Amino acid sequence: MIRDMRGPVLVTGGTGFIGGHLVRLLLEQGHEVRVLCRSAAAEARVPKDAQAVAGDVADANSLCSALEGCGLVFHLAANANLFDHDSAVFEQVNHQGTRNLLRAAQEAGVARVVHCSSEAVLARKTPDGPATAVTATRLEDMPGEYCRSKWLADQACFEAAAQGLDVVVAVPVVPVGPGDVNLTPPTRMLRDFCRGKIKGYVSSSLGLADVRDIAAGLLACAERGTSGRRYLLAAENRQLVDLFALLSRLTGRPAPRLRVPGQAALAFAWLEEQWCRLRRGTPLASVAGVRLAMRGTLYDGSADARELGLTYRPVDAALAEALVWLEQQGLVPPLSKKNTEDVHA
């Protein structure tokens, strides 16, 4: 149980990938949980033991009743995609939505806010070593509207903390595991691999963690984090080529062999985005995603794990569970059961 936190716990983004696991973890610990929902579809995904409350972080007036009596808020609501047909949504939801939430929490007398950021805010243009929670970046370092909106949201949290609101910022790396009903970019990558759509790769690396460990990290931030600080929730770094080799072993499907130069990948992503704007589709690769990949950022959250008392399970097992979940949802062709089961052995 989270110490010294009275009243219900509000979770924004509680029907998303990380948020869904966080809500279930809070319920398992006996907390009274409210989940902010901006649609009937979202309400339908709220566990029966939690309370769905109508509201939208982009609408400041809708947050008052949701926050009434809450001692703790986990803020995860965001557009988590690197591409959107309406790029203004990133500023409206990710940045201004965070400011709305922080102001409303201050007015409601909330004891603590835990804000869920993104590993993209720590990705420098020219890395000179692994990124940590205290890595300094600038707005001009951010490639694309999603990254800029998340960086600005972090700054809003630091400003609020300086003005007296208790705010902790958690920065998770790429989450993997089962249950991503919204198919965020990491899970779409796994799906596309299984469908044979990924034909090439850029030389890059990813920071990865089991989504359930990230949820546990958010809880640890609520209980043991220091206001005004960032905490990096990171388990492993994996080279993209090695990740595809593992996925090939788990699925029996061939890994892409074509190593694509960064500039060529950028050109492909730009053309695909233009095509998707015309056809209302989703690009296989976005310009912002390629730019982030080209930086090859490594992440080191070991100091934060020690401070928060966190341990991380192996990422390979989480990837295998994600693949099995995708198969169960009918989103990928049948997998090799032996290979996915061997990872858990």
Side-chain angles (χ1 to χ4, degrees):
M1 291 287 287
I2 300 170
R3 298 189 299 266
D4 303 325
M5 292 292 171
R6 303 186 180 212
V9 178
L10 177 68
V11 182
T12 76
T15 59
F17 188 24
I18 299 173
H21 285 281
L22 174 62
V23 167
R24 286 187 286 274
L25 186 56
L26 286 165
L27 291 171
E28 288 170 6
Q29 292 196 356
H31 292 282
E32 181 185 350
V33 181
R34 291 178 186 168
V35 180
L36 190 74
C37 298
R38 64 187 184 95
S39 69
E43 288 184 19
R45 297 202 300 270
V46 174
K48 62 180 179 62
D49 293 331
Q51 177 190 5
V53 293
D56 185 342
V57 294
D59 178 7
N61 294 328
S62 71
L63 299 175
C64 298
S65 59
L67 285 164
E68 186 176 356
C70 290
L72 173 64
V73 175
F74 290 95
H75 176 47
L76 290 84
N79 184 322
N81 296 295
L82 291 169
F83 168 86
D84 196 283
H85 295 281
D86 178 12
S87 60
V89 72
F90 295 118
E91 168 67 14
Q92 179 185 18
V93 175
N94 297 358
H95 177 206
Q96 296 303 329
T98 297
R99 289 192 177 276
N100 290 339
L101 187 281
L102 293 170
R103 283 193 294 267
Q106 181 81 66
E107 293 171 2
V110 168
R112 167 159 283 192
V113 176
V114 177
H115 167 68
C116 188
S117 183
S118 164
E119 87 285 358
V121 303
L122 300 177
R124 293 162 293 183
K125 285 184 178 179
T126 54
D128 56 2
T132 69
V134 297
T135 293
T137 54
R138 304 167 301 171
L139 182 59
E140 51 265 37
D141 291 332
M142 300 295 106
E145 294 302 321
Y146 166 78
C147 304
R148 284 191 281 272
S149 68
K150 294 298 286 186
W151 190 92
L152 288 167
D154 279 16
Q155 302 312 304
C157 290
F158 299 141
E159 292 168 15
Q163 294 167 7
L165 182 64
D166 190 323
V167 188
V168 180
V169 177
V171 184
V173 292
V174 174
V176 291
D180 188 2
V181 295
N182 293 325
L183 295 183
T184 56
T187 304
R188 285 205 304 270
M189 181 185 71
L190 300 182
R191 180 200 62 183
D192 292 340
F193 179 94
C194 292
R195 292 180 175 181
K197 290 187 174 183
I198 299 178
K199 306 299 184 183
Y201 66 93
V202 295
S203 180
S204 184
S205 63
L206 292 173
L208 301 169
D210 189 305
V211 65
R212 292 157 293 197
D213 291 336
I214 291 174
L218 289 168
L219 279 177
C221 285
E223 183 168 27
R224 294 183 286 277
T226 299
S227 180
R229 277 204 44 198
R230 268 188 185 133
Y231 292 87
L232 176 58
L233 308 179
E236 300 178 23
N237 294 298
R238 192 70 58 89
Q239 292 296 312
L240 191 57
V241 65
D242 295 333
L243 175 61
F244 286 148
L246 171 64
L247 295 177
S248 179
R249 180 168 68 86
L250 292 175
T251 64
R253 290 159 176 70
R257 295 183 178 181
L258 177 63
R259 179 177 169 180
V260 182
Q263 293 304 316
L266 274 176
F268 170 80
W270 185 86
L271 289 170
E272 194 178 25
E273 283 191 3
Q274 305 316 303
W275 177 251
C276 288
R277 290 185 194 282
L278 292 173
R279 300 294 296 270
R280 304 297 297 177
T282 300
L284 188 67
S286 66
V287 171
V290 172
R291 285 177 175 161
L292 283 172
M294 289 170 64
R295 297 181 182 185
T297 305
L298 300 175
Y299 298 91
D300 181 4
S302 56
D304 300 308
R306 288 191 295 271
E307 181 175 339
L308 296 173
L310 295 175
T311 57
Y312 293 98
R313 69 196 84 188
V315 166
D316 288 14
L319 287 164
E321 289 185 68
L323 293 169
V324 170
W325 180 84
L326 284 167
E327 181 189 33
Q328 292 170 344
Q329 306 306 307
L331 295 172
V332 300
L335 304 171
S336 168
K337 293 293 190 294
K338 180 180 184 306
N339 291 345
T340 51
E341 289 169 358
D342 282 348
V343 174
H344 295 279

